[in-house]
Amino acid sequence: MQVTQNVAELCSLLIDELHGELPSRIFRALLSRGRATLPQLCQYTGMSALQLRHGVAVLLQHNLLYYQIDDGHAMYEANAEFAYNLVRTGKILEMIETSFGPPAKDVMQSLLASGQTRVADLVAAYQEKINHLNSAMQQDDDEDFPDLKANGVNGHPHAAKKCDPMVKSTAQLNSIICRLVEAELIDVVHSKTFQSQPDVVKALEKEVTDKHFPGGVKGGRGKIEFQEKMAEALRKVRSESKSLKRKLEQNGTAAKRRKLFAGVAAANGTNGTTNGVHDEELDPALDPKQVIRINYEKCLVDLRNRRLVHFVSETIGDATSHVYGVLLRLLTKQLPRCRLDPSMDVNQDGEAVDAEPKAVTTAQILDNLKTAVDLSLGIGKTAMKEISSKSAEKISEFPPKPKLFIAEAEVDGEASADESDEGSSSDESGYDSDFKNQPASATNGTKVTFADGDDNPWQRMGRPGQLRQHLLLLAESNQHFVRHCGHDEWTVDFEPLMRTLREAELDAVIERTSGRQGLRLVRILRANGKLDEKALMNVALMRKAEVQQKVVQMQKAGFVQIQEVPRDNKSDVKKSFFLWFCDVDKSYIKLADNSYKSMIRCLQVLEVLRQKEKDVLMLTRRTDVKGREKDVMRKEYYDRYSRFQENERKLFAQVMRLDDFIALVRDF
């Protein structure tokens, strides 16, 4: 992760928000000064050795620091990537709750709050919490309902519901951790976890050289062998964090264990238990000394799936998005990260090494799709005889090759006053003539809802056939969400798909800032490469003044760049060509930096609001007020507190929207 000034300031604010000012000051000093020892940090921050040790311990606990022992001294380095991931805490918890349930969310929240934790410490904390809540519930029953207790009624239902813990036993906690480990959302901490990637690579290079190339790397063949050995060593180091998952898989996955347990229970005539043993107890007991932490790389994969499902829901429909969600879950089950690492995941031919998702069949999707999803919805009502089966069932065995973003003839935009409108009117009339015989439909934004009829052939089709229609709809979309790679086999090409979505997001930003004409010019430059002002004016059919105004405006915003090409060796400005072009990568970097800056401003405004309402917030922290603000506080104080909460929600929502853009252009 490239650490700019805005990234460094944002990471410091995030650490200050979650862990306090002391770790934040140490982290800011390491980002600005580079790696340093404790005596050097004392000079940079002006803190005492005791304060530094406390702050460094907090940062190491949450994996926000790397360290390297050099000549008996520990050198500390800031981990900016993990620091930025703190902003995604809410999204990760929401994703866990949707996929695994509220108890799993509670466990993940505890891990996020405590950082790297031993299994024994986590179990002890939950055992204490369970005992405390049970004692509180028992005390409430004895004090408030003594007659019910005396008559043998075990507690009051409302009191039990209020004090009921999310995780009810250590066996359930163990089962939840096993499920999260098998999903790779929880990793194991090992010795290389606290070392930065350059330090790991440097140590492995020395190890590989001493072991396999004692005389040094010589020749082209030797370099290729050295790179292969290095890639293998790096993959081995990375696989150390999956040691706990491999141990669990030796006993079968959680789904297989529960399926076997259900069969045994049914054979014995029991309902969910065998000899009083619940299904949570089928999971093997974890090593109490095992240290675990959150795997942000796998969390990003699941967040990307949610983003794609939401995009399909907005562009195609809800029923198709449910199908797409199941397809993505099956494809990415063994996918450890969003983007490949060239040093270890790509071979000499540029092909991925055990990192690309494989295809899934229609039967697998149907088995994992909920029966409550009505697959007859969201499918067009066109008669089957009007559909070309050969074109719809076309199989593409290989991913699409990179191509130009858009052809010049397909450029949308607002034409100048000189441009004729005859072409557009003829296109519209042709479009209407093609679809005037279709059934009536109603549009709502980008979604289309068709009128149902008794003669609808898709409703008479079986559920597997309806599922295939949704998959073909995804495959034929302009974004190519799915690729039909074989007979009843489907896959997703994530790299070209995300590139298309990034360009669509960039186009939306350009249209909001520079208008339709600016977007038109950018698309023309992408399709044609570098153009001078005269050629750009002719292709865009715009006046010279309009083109000059738009390209200068977009150059200031970072959407287009200009290159000077001299006609001769004298490099006279008056005799030079000036070519306009569009660099998409530079545009992403510029927009990402602006997003970091906006996130910083949101957090700073939030801190100002907290200082302004300091007296009200201190009042809400009192134990006799917390949870009863509306009943206890005076109206004027409660109104101020409500306004602060509303502003806080808006600011955090803006930060989350900005992070969605950062994730799309940088991580996904």
Side-chain angles (χ1 to χ4, degrees):
M1 179 179 179
Q2 185 180 6
V3 182
T4 61
Q5 181 180 358
N6 290 327
V7 173
E9 187 174 357
L10 175 61
C11 292
S12 301
L13 289 174
L14 291 173
I15 294 175
D16 189 12
E17 178 77 19
L18 295 177
H19 304 299
E21 183 181 359
L22 179 62
S24 176
R25 288 179 58 187
I26 299 173
F27 194 84
R28 187 183 297 112
L30 288 172
L31 283 177
S32 59
R33 300 278 188 163
R35 32 169 89 187
T37 61
L38 282 179
Q40 290 174 336
L41 285 174
C42 288
Q43 297 177 0
Y44 299 156
T45 61
M47 299 180 186
S48 64
L50 181 61
Q51 291 174 326
L52 280 175
R53 279 193 285 269
H54 284 300
V56 168
V58 172
L59 293 172
L60 286 174
Q61 178 73 19
H62 292 84
N63 209 177
L64 298 172
L65 285 187
Y66 295 124
Y67 74 87
Q68 178 75 16
I69 305 298
D70 188 11
D71 296 333
H73 298 283
M75 301 286 293
Y76 298 99
E77 183 180 357
N79 186 356
E81 185 175 357
F82 267 64
Y84 179 81
N85 284 330
L86 295 175
V87 79
R88 296 171 176 153
T89 301
K91 295 179 183 178
I92 293 174
L93 293 177
E94 182 183 1
M95 178 263 297
I96 294 294
E97 184 178 15
T98 304
S99 304
F100 299 93
K105 174 190 174 182
D106 189 71
V107 174
M108 185 68 77
Q109 187 172 5
S110 300
L111 278 175
L112 287 168
S114 58
Q116 299 167 139
T117 309
R118 291 193 308 169
V119 174
D121 296 337
L122 191 63
V123 171
Y126 268 93
Q127 187 62 56
E128 182 180 357
K129 182 178 180 181
I130 293 170
N131 295 336
H132 176 72
L133 290 176
N134 290 337
S135 300
M137 185 174 61
Q138 185 73 19
Q139 184 178 0
D140 291 340
D141 293 341
D142 294 340
E143 292 179 357
D144 299 335
F145 308 100
D147 296 335
L148 295 177
K149 187 70 177 178
N151 293 331
V153 179
N154 190 12
H156 190 266
H158 298 291
K161 184 177 180 181
K162 182 178 179 181
C163 299
D164 193 21
M166 286 284 187
V167 180
K168 299 178 174 59
S169 64
T170 55
Q172 184 184 6
L173 174 62
N174 184 82
S175 176
I176 291 173
I177 296 176
C178 289
R179 291 173 60 198
L180 295 176
V181 168
E182 290 175 349
E184 296 187 15
L185 296 171
I186 291 180
D187 265 352
V188 174
V189 177
H190 53 90
S191 59
K192 298 292 192 301
T193 302
F194 300 96
Q195 296 182 15
S196 62
Q197 185 70 10
D199 291 336
V200 173
V201 171
K202 184 178 179 180
L204 290 178
E205 284 179 351
K206 185 177 183 305
E207 181 181 344
V208 171
T209 303
D210 295 342
K211 184 177 180 180
H212 300 282
F213 304 93
V217 181
K218 300 177 182 179
R221 181 61 182 174
K223 291 181 180 178
I224 293 176
E225 292 180 359
F226 177 77
Q227 292 176 359
E228 291 176 353
K229 296 291 184 183
M230 279 296 301
E232 183 181 355
L234 288 171
R235 287 195 294 268
K236 184 178 179 180
V237 170
R238 191 173 61 186
S239 64
E240 291 182 16
S241 60
K242 306 295 186 292
S243 59
L244 183 57
K245 179 186 176 182
R246 290 193 293 271
K247 291 180 181 178
L248 293 176
E249 289 178 345
Q250 291 177 358
N251 299 325
T253 61
K256 291 182 179 179
R257 292 193 297 268
R258 284 163 177 75
K259 187 175 181 180
L260 178 62
F261 171 73
V264 173
N268 293 335
T270 58
N271 185 16
T273 59
T274 304
N275 298 327
V277 180
H278 294 275
D279 57 347
E280 288 89 357
E281 298 182 1
L282 291 175
D283 296 309
L286 300 175
D287 184 7
K289 297 181 180 179
Q290 191 76 70
V291 182
I292 56 178
R293 66 164 185 175
I294 304 298
N295 182 14
Y296 283 106
E297 288 184 339
K298 185 63 176 180
C299 290
L300 281 176
V301 174
D302 291 344
L303 290 176
R304 183 180 66 179
N305 291 349
R306 289 169 59 88
R307 180 73 177 270
L308 290 173
V309 170
H310 177 73
F311 193 77
V312 170
S313 176
E314 291 293 323
T315 55
I316 300 180
D318 293 334
T320 309
S321 68
H322 286 294
V323 175
Y324 196 51
V326 175
L327 172 63
L328 289 175
R329 187 172 71 249
L330 294 175
L331 280 174
T332 59
K333 191 173 183 180
Q334 302 297 331
L335 191 65
R337 61 197 56 83
C338 290
R339 295 195 176 187
L340 302 179
D341 190 344
S343 61
M344 65 183 89
D345 295 329
V346 179
N347 58 19
Q348 298 296 327
D349 299 330
E351 299 177 353
V353 181
D354 298 332
E356 285 294 326
K358 299 179 180 179
V360 296
T361 63
T362 308
Q364 290 175 333
I365 300 174
L366 187 62
D367 291 341
N368 289 271
L369 186 65
K370 294 181 179 179
T371 56
V373 179
D374 189 359
L375 295 178
S376 65
L377 302 176
I379 305 177
K381 306 303 185 290
T382 305
M384 292 184 178
K385 62 182 180 180
E386 298 181 7
I387 298 177
S388 174
S389 301
K390 183 178 179 181
S391 176
E393 299 285 347
K394 182 180 178 181
I395 295 176
S396 302
E397 297 182 3
F398 304 101
K401 296 181 180 180
K403 58 182 180 179
L404 293 177
F405 175 72
I406 192 168
E408 189 274 328
E410 299 173 350
V411 173
D412 287 335
E414 188 176 324
S416 63
D418 298 336
E419 188 174 357
S420 175
D421 294 330
E422 295 178 1
S424 61
S425 61
S426 62
D427 291 343
E428 291 176 0
S429 62
Y431 181 89
D432 293 338
S433 64
D434 290 340
F435 293 88
K436 64 183 180 180
N437 295 325
Q438 299 297 334
S441 62
T443 59
N444 181 13
T446 58
K447 297 182 181 180
V448 179
T449 56
F450 295 90
D452 292 327
D454 297 335
D455 57 346
N456 179 17
W458 308 111
Q459 290 184 349
R460 297 193 299 269
M461 183 182 292
R463 190 172 175 84
Q466 293 173 349
L467 177 60
R468 281 184 56 83
Q469 298 308 313
H470 285 282
L471 293 171
L472 292 173
L473 187 62
L474 290 167
E476 294 176 358
S477 63
N478 294 331
Q479 294 82 9
H480 300 290
F481 291 109
V482 170
R483 177 164 58 90
H484 193 188
C485 59
H487 179 65
D488 275 348
E489 291 185 348
W490 315 86
T491 187
V492 177
D493 301 313
F494 286 104
E495 185 175 352
L497 174 59
M498 299 312 300
R499 182 169 59 248
T500 302
L501 297 185
R502 282 193 291 269
E503 290 171 345
E505 187 72 20
L506 178 61
D507 287 351
V509 175
I510 294 174
E511 185 177 3
R512 287 196 299 266
T513 56
S514 303
R516 299 282 296 176
Q517 290 183 343
L519 177 59
R520 180 183 179 85
L521 293 174
V522 167
R523 288 182 169 180
I524 290 174
L525 290 175
R526 287 180 190 161
N528 295 275
K530 298 179 180 179
L531 296 176
D532 62 359
E533 188 176 287
K534 185 177 180 181
L536 183 60
M537 180 180 63
N538 293 333
V539 175
L541 301 178
M542 295 172 59
R543 296 189 182 95
K544 182 177 180 180
E546 294 176 347
V547 172
Q548 288 179 342
Q549 181 182 2
K550 282 298 178 183
V551 293
V552 171
Q553 178 185 356
M554 290 189 295
Q555 184 189 18
K556 293 180 180 179
F559 300 135
V560 297
Q561 287 79 35
I562 190 171
Q563 179 183 2
E564 179 184 357
V565 181
R567 296 188 180 184
D568 50 28
N569 296 331
K570 297 181 180 179
S571 65
D572 188 1
V573 177
K574 297 181 180 179
K575 297 181 180 180
S576 299
F577 293 105
F578 291 92
L579 304 178
W580 294 97
F581 65 98
C582 179
D583 192 332
V584 177
D585 294 334
K586 286 186 177 180
S587 300
Y588 291 150
I589 294 174
K590 177 68 175 178
L591 291 175
D593 196 60
N594 292 339
S595 300
Y596 294 139
K597 190 181 298 183
S598 300
M599 295 167 76
I600 291 171
R601 298 294 179 265
C602 290
L603 295 178
Q604 289 175 341
V605 169
L606 179 60
E607 185 61 28
V608 171
L609 292 176
R610 286 173 178 169
Q611 293 297 327
K612 184 178 178 181
E613 306 293 343
K614 185 177 180 180
D615 54 339
V616 178
L617 296 178
M618 290 181 64
L619 179 62
T620 57
R621 295 192 188 102
R622 289 172 44 179
T623 56
D624 58 335
V625 177
K626 192 172 184 179
R628 304 169 53 202
E629 292 85 356
K630 189 173 182 180
D631 299 332
V632 176
M633 297 174 63
R634 293 168 55 183
K635 186 178 184 303
E636 56 177 326
Y637 284 96
Y638 182 75
D639 291 342
R640 289 172 57 188
Y641 180 64
S642 300
R643 285 195 300 269
F644 170 78
Q645 283 189 317
E646 182 66 22
N647 292 330
E648 185 181 42
R649 281 193 294 269
K650 291 179 180 179
L651 289 171
F652 278 132
Q654 179 66 14
V655 171
M656 292 299 102
R657 283 193 291 267
L658 292 169
D659 175 64
D660 289 338
F661 179 78
I662 295 294
L664 180 62
V665 302
R666 193 196 70 182
D667 299 325
F668 294 164

